[in-house]
Amino acid sequence: MGQVQNKIAIVTGGASGIGAACARTLAREGAKVVVSDIDDLGGNALVATINSAGHQAIFLSHDVTDERRWQDVVAETERHFGRLDILVSNAGIGLLAPSIVDMSLADWRRQTAVNLDGVFLSVKYCLPVMRRSGGGSIIMTSSVAGLRGSGTLAGYCATKGGVRLFAKSIAMECASKGDGIRVNSVHPGIIDTPIWNKIRPDLSSGGRNAPIDIEGMARLGAPLGRAGQPQDIANGVLFLASDAASYITGAELVIDGGITGGSISRSGPLAGGATRE
Ligand SMILES: NC(=O)c1ccc[n+]([C@@H]2O[C@H](COP(=O)([O-])OP(=O)(O)OC[C@H]3O[C@@H](n4cnc5c(N)ncnc54)[C@H](O)[C@@H]3O)[C@@H](O)[C@H]2O)c1
């Protein structure tokens, strides 16, 4: 028996990075997974891998900002699998701005449309079918950027902070209705995924130059001294999706190598003998 045996799951932004790891992990643990993404090539390749490993997944081409398409995706999921137990509302983009005054309203709206409108629509259209299914688990991908500020990611932080409290609010709605649906957020730190290659806006003055050194950033910024892997987040999502988390709702699961836990010194008198290069 897998940890989510026979449950039906939708994973948005499931073609890449954290979403792909969630889709693979839920499928490995017995769920039938709907992978939704705008990346048709990546999504189809992923479901082919999942199915060839003897698990079950389908891909649906889906822009999470498209309300009409959400109705199709939920209907298609119900037609194909008959119910919905798990929603991983994960699709997201990050746009970096050296200063908030450099951010165009179009970029602000684009980021908010995917990261917040997309999560709102996911809940609006998935909750009714989950209620008809008798309960379930919703996991929203926020970020450490939903817990603390960042000087160059203000717009992103605004969306991820919004997701954090949206999750808690929907958790309260579901608890008050007694519908058996739990709602939680996950908060990844620095995770090695393609998002970091896409994070800069198209500024005409050198918006895209050297690639971001994720490992270097994590070595300095994460107390565990390394970047996380998508599987680290998928492990947490699997737990929240499973019945092992049946008393957990309205909570935030931080998976960040210690970033929000505090700070450590790598050298000097406060290093505690743990000096590292
Ligand atoms: N990687 C990190 O360090 C990190 C840290 C904190 C939070 N997150 C969050 O994790 C989530 C997953 O990010 P990732 O790191 O795996 O990035 P990723 O770029 O590898 O994956 C994101 C996926 O979302 C899809 N997507 C983008 N816009 C979409 C839209 N409008 N509709 C449907 N799909 C869309 C992309 O095609 C892609 O497959 C995001 O919400 C991100 O903000 C990532």
Side-chain angles (χ1 to χ4, degrees):
M1 272 292 271
Q3 295 179 56
V4 285
Q5 196 67 40
N6 295 328
K7 294 187 192 284
I8 311 302
I10 293 178
V11 180
T12 71
S16 171
I18 291 168
C22 291
R24 273 194 301 267
T25 304
L26 291 167
R28 185 198 71 208
E29 291 297 325
K32 295 169 187 155
V33 181
V34 177
V35 174
S36 109
D37 205 292
I38 48 173
D39 176 2
D40 294 4
L41 211 62
N44 279 310
L46 177 71
V47 303
T49 318
I50 291 174
N51 290 328
S52 68
H55 310 305
Q56 276 193 64
I58 59 168
F59 174 69
L60 297 179
S61 185
H62 176 208
D63 180 338
V64 291
T65 68
D66 182 342
E67 180 166 16
R68 175 82 218 114
R69 185 67 185 135
W70 260 113
Q71 298 171 48
D72 299 339
V73 164
V74 169
E76 185 74 2
T77 302
E78 219 176 356
R79 196 184 60 74
H80 211 89
F81 293 124
R83 53 188 288 124
L84 178 64
D85 308 290
I86 299 164
L87 166 66
V88 184
S89 200
N90 165 80
I93 59 171
L95 297 178
L96 189 145
S99 161
I100 198 64
V101 301
D102 299 324
M103 185 168 222
S104 67
L105 181 57
D107 274 350
W108 171 276
R109 285 187 172 148
R110 186 157 64 95
Q111 185 168 246
T112 304
V114 179
N115 295 9
L116 264 180
D117 299 0
V119 174
F120 156 67
L121 290 171
S122 73
V123 171
K124 178 174 170 63
Y125 288 102
C126 289
L127 260 186
V129 60
M130 291 178 90
R131 285 182 173 144
R132 282 199 294 282
S133 306
S137 173
I138 298 176
I139 299 119
M140 302 181 193
T141 310
S142 177
S143 170
V144 293
L147 301 171
R148 56 177 215 172
S150 157
T152 50
L153 287 168
Y156 182 73
C157 288
T159 65
K160 293 301 185 179
V163 166
R164 172 177 176 263
L165 275 182
F166 185 63
K168 291 185 194 306
S169 301
I170 305 306
M172 295 308 108
E173 174 185 324
C174 292
S176 68
K177 292 191 187 311
D179 61 11
I181 298 172
R182 299 178 295 99
V183 188
N184 297 288
S185 54
V186 289
H187 299 259
I190 301 167
I191 311 302
D192 189 358
T193 76
I195 203 172
W196 293 100
N197 304 325
K198 316 171 199 163
I199 203 160
R200 279 155 296 177
D202 284 310
L203 298 176
S204 51
S205 56
R208 296 178 184 277
N209 36 37
I212 292 178
D213 174 9
I214 303 168
E215 268 308 325
M217 210 167 54
R219 210 163 34 246
L220 288 176
L224 288 187
R226 60 177 170 80
Q229 295 304 311
Q231 189 62 49
D232 293 315
I233 310 305
N235 293 341
V237 167
L238 171 65
F239 167 64
L240 289 171
S242 76
D243 293 341
S246 63
Y247 198 54
I248 302 179
T249 198
E252 45 202 54
L253 179 54
V254 180
I255 307 174
D256 69 348
I259 289 174
T260 52
S263 60
I264 61 169
S265 299
R266 302 259 183 235
S267 60
L270 298 181
T275 308
R276 261 188 289 174
E277 282 309 306

